[in-house]
């Protein structure tokens, strides 16, 4: 919408006309078109929703808002037809309020863009001095952002300020004032710019020894951040991954609690806050900084918080359902066999994939053994994969029978 200093022009920019009757009191509002409910002659309630701009009205610090008049009387409907008519009229009011909400979003977004770009204000100066770009969320899930968010673009180390529609300018200024010093300190210390203070309040534990204290602190921290600890013998490194629908930190059996804590804190510092979202949500496409809409598949169980809150490439957005594999004892050395996760399937699709290898349509990926994956399997390829495993299982069953017979014939004590 083109910028305009005139409220009447702003209304026209979203398809509304301004009622001139309120101009004398310095109040601009859209034309009144009340929806009437009546139960009998002479008894009537007028329902109305209006978009209003208050220029000098005390008690109204925001410029634009929607005012809803729901009436104050009781109506008594004595016939089913009258009740249905009232329902129809209320549906009209609901539709009107939906339109007003969309129009209010457009006006508030434009107001925010003008305010943060004004170099005459403290906020405008701060943003310009620190090279901070500004984006205003205006998609279907814009309300997922309940406060301003300062995110770093990894490629050029610039910051982008994401604003929810209708954000109050004092709140934005307070957020930026608090965020900039912390981010500069993080960068100077070589930490990610978005890293937060990781001090965690732990429960009181008996001071038996340092090892017990570290173990207790680790348990409390992992529980507070929904991380499940798995110790695996034979493992050589720490990994954070999703098993089924749980986020797990998988470590070698003898890993000290301090090492687990260090890895967990780095992960928590770098991950995005959880954002509730439905099947449709919006994100900023990093390739052209355009806001786009994504739609989760019915089977998707991924958390798309980072996709929503930080600019990302369309090709990096995938939808998944995580299956759970099985654990069997294996060893790749002469050491004793230890449990390994095998045959862990994932149903997935990456609509924005820039190749034609099968990722753009629903497919199954199978982690045959830790770190060894199949390619994307379609229905026919997955059926062939299952048949191949079935043949292998038949061979194993046959060999099992031979083993039982061989044991039976083996001399006792040989």
């Amino acid at each position: 919408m083109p910028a305009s200093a005139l409220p009447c022009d702003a209304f026209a920019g979203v398809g509304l006309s301004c009622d001139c009757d309120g101009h004398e009191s310095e109040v601009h509002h859209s034309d009144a078109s009340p929806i009437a409910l009546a139960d009998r002659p002479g008894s009537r309630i007028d329902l109305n929703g209006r978009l209003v701009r208050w220029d000098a009205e005390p008690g109204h610090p925001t410029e634009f808002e929607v005012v809803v008049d729901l009436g104050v009387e009781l109506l008594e409907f004595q016939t089913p037809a009258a009740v249905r008519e009232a329902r129809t009229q209320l549906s009209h009011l609901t539709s009107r309020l939906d339109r007003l909400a969309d129009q209010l979003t457009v006006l508030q977004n434009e107001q925010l863009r003008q305010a943060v770009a004004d170099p005459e204000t403290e906020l405008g100066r701060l943003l310009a001095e620190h090279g901070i770009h500004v984006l205003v969320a205006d998609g279907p899930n814009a309300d997922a952002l309940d406060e301003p968010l300062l995110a770093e673009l990894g490629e050029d180390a610039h910051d982008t300020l994401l604003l929810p529609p209708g954000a109050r300018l004092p709140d934005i200024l307070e957020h930026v004032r608090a965020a900039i010093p912390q981010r500069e300190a993080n960068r100077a210390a070589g930490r990610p710019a978005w890293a937060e203070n990781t001090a965690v309040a732990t429960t009181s534990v008996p001071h038996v020894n340092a090892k017990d204290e570290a173990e207790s602190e680790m348990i409390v921290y992992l529980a507070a951040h929904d991380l499940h600890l798995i110790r695996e013998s034979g493992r050589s490194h720490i990994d954070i991954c999703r098993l089924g629908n749980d986020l797990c930190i998988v470590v070698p059996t003898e890993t000290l609690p301090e090492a687990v804590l260090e890895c967990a804190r780095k992960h928590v510092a770098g991950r995005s806050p959880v954002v509730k979202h439905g099947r449709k949500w919006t994100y900023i496409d990093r390739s052209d900084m355009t806001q786009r809409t994504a739609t989760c598949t019915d089977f998707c169980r991924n958390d798309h918080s980072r996709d929503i809150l930080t600019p990302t490439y369309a090709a990096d957005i995938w939808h998944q359902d995580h299956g759970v594999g099985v654990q069997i004892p294996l060893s790749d050395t002469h050491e004793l066999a230890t449990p390994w996760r095998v045959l862990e399937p994932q149903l997935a699709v990456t609509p924005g994939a820039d190749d034609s290898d099968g990722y753009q349509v629903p497919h199954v990926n199978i982690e045959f053994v830790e770190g060894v994956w199949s390619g994307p399997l379609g229905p026919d390829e997955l059926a062939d994969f299952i048949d191949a495993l079935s043949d292998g299982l038949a061979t194993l069953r046959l060999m099992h029978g031979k083993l039982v017979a061989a044991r039976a014939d083996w001399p006792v004590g040989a």
Side-chain angles (χ1 to χ4, degrees):
M1 183 189 71
S4 172
L6 299 177
C8 296
D9 292 342
F11 279 30
V14 294
L16 294 173
S17 57
C18 188
D19 188 346
C20 299
D21 292 342
H23 287 183
E24 293 183 0
S25 58
E26 298 187 46
V27 176
H28 301 263
H29 52 75
S30 56
D31 281 334
S33 299
I35 293 173
L37 292 180
D39 58 353
R40 56 187 178 275
S43 180
R44 163 177 167 154
I45 293 177
D46 288 337
L47 307 178
N48 198 9
R50 285 179 159 189
L51 189 64
V52 177
R53 169 168 166 161
W54 307 84
D55 283 350
E57 183 74 9
H60 292 278
T62 57
E63 282 194 274
F64 291 102
E65 63 187 35
V66 170
V67 175
V68 181
D69 184 359
L70 296 178
V72 294
E73 299 180 24
L74 294 178
L75 297 180
E76 299 175 355
F77 301 103
Q78 298 178 346
T79 66
V83 174
R84 293 190 181 95
E85 175 62 24
R87 180 186 180 281
T88 299
Q89 296 298 334
L90 291 174
S91 297
H92 292 331
L93 178 63
T94 299
S95 298
R96 177 178 298 175
L97 292 180
D98 285 340
R99 290 193 300 272
L100 286 173
D102 293 339
Q103 291 160 334
L104 178 63
T105 297
V106 172
L107 291 172
Q108 288 182 332
N109 286 351
E110 181 62 22
Q111 182 186 7
L112 284 174
R113 293 186 184 99
Q114 293 179 20
V116 298
D118 186 357
E120 299 300 320
T121 66
E122 180 183 357
L123 177 60
R125 287 195 302 273
L126 273 176
L127 297 177
E129 289 172 2
H130 293 273
I132 297 176
H133 307 294
V134 178
L135 292 172
V136 182
D138 59 3
N141 72 312
D143 56 355
L145 285 173
D146 56 3
E147 64 179 15
L149 179 75
L150 201 55
E152 182 182 57
L153 299 184
E155 292 183 344
D156 55 10
H158 284 170
D159 289 330
T160 296
L161 180 66
L162 299 179
L163 299 179
R168 297 181 65 252
L169 293 179
D171 294 339
I172 301 173
L173 180 58
E174 180 181 355
H175 181 84
V176 171
R177 280 175 178 165
I180 286 176
Q182 179 64 44
R183 297 172 79 76
E184 291 181 343
N186 286 340
R187 289 189 174 111
R191 296 190 298 264
W194 57 83
E196 298 177 358
N197 293 330
T198 55
V200 176
T202 60
T203 56
S204 176
V205 296
H207 291 274
V208 179
N209 55 54
K211 181 178 179 181
D212 289 341
E213 288 184 9
E215 185 78 17
S216 298
E217 184 180 5
M218 178 193 72
I219 292 172
V220 171
Y221 188 85
L222 296 183
H225 294 89
D226 295 324
L227 283 169
H228 301 268
L229 178 65
I230 297 177
R231 293 185 180 272
E232 286 188 352
S233 56
R235 169 176 282 270
S236 60
H237 62 282
I238 298 178
D239 189 21
I240 293 182
C241 59
R242 190 174 290 277
L243 299 179
N245 293 299
D246 294 327
L247 194 61
C248 301
I249 179 167
V250 189
V251 304
T253 302
E254 301 302 323
T255 305
L256 295 176
E258 293 87 348
V260 177
L261 264 175
E262 181 182 3
C263 180
R265 283 172 170 160
K266 287 181 179 178
H267 167 76
V268 170
R271 73 184 182 186
S272 299
V274 175
V275 176
K276 294 181 179 179
H277 58 82
R279 288 194 62 207
K280 284 185 177 293
W281 43 273
T282 56
Y283 69 100
I284 304 300
D285 192 326
R286 185 186 285 271
S287 62
D288 58 7
M289 299 309 291
T290 299
Q291 186 163 252
R292 305 188 189 282
T293 299
T295 302
C296 282
T297 59
D298 290 335
F299 62 75
C300 182
R301 302 181 72 177
N302 275 0
D303 171 22
H304 291 285
S305 296
R306 179 171 287 274
D307 299 327
I308 291 173
L309 294 178
T310 60
T312 186
Y313 293 108
D316 291 334
I317 296 174
W318 64 90
H319 308 283
Q320 286 180 309
D321 184 18
H322 309 273
V324 180
V326 296
Q327 287 200 349
I328 59 175
L330 295 174
S331 175
D332 59 354
T333 67
H334 296 293
E335 301 296 329
L336 291 177
T338 56
W340 284 52
R341 290 178 287 109
V342 302
L343 295 177
E344 187 161 290
Q346 294 181 358
L347 176 61
V349 64
T350 309
D354 53 6
D355 57 47
S356 56
D357 293 335
Y359 293 97
Q360 296 172 330
V361 295
H363 59 275
V364 165
N365 298 312
I366 299 174
E367 190 176 20
F368 191 82
V369 70
E370 184 177 341
V372 180
W373 290 82
S374 71
L377 303 176
D380 293 339
E381 292 86 358
L382 181 57
D384 291 342
F385 188 93
I386 294 171
D387 288 343
L389 289 179
S390 298
D391 292 342
L393 291 175
T395 301
L396 288 177
R397 290 190 179 97
L398 178 61
M399 192 60 67
H400 177 263
K402 292 180 179 181
L403 173 62
V404 172
R407 284 287 182 97
D409 292 339
W410 194 253
V412 176

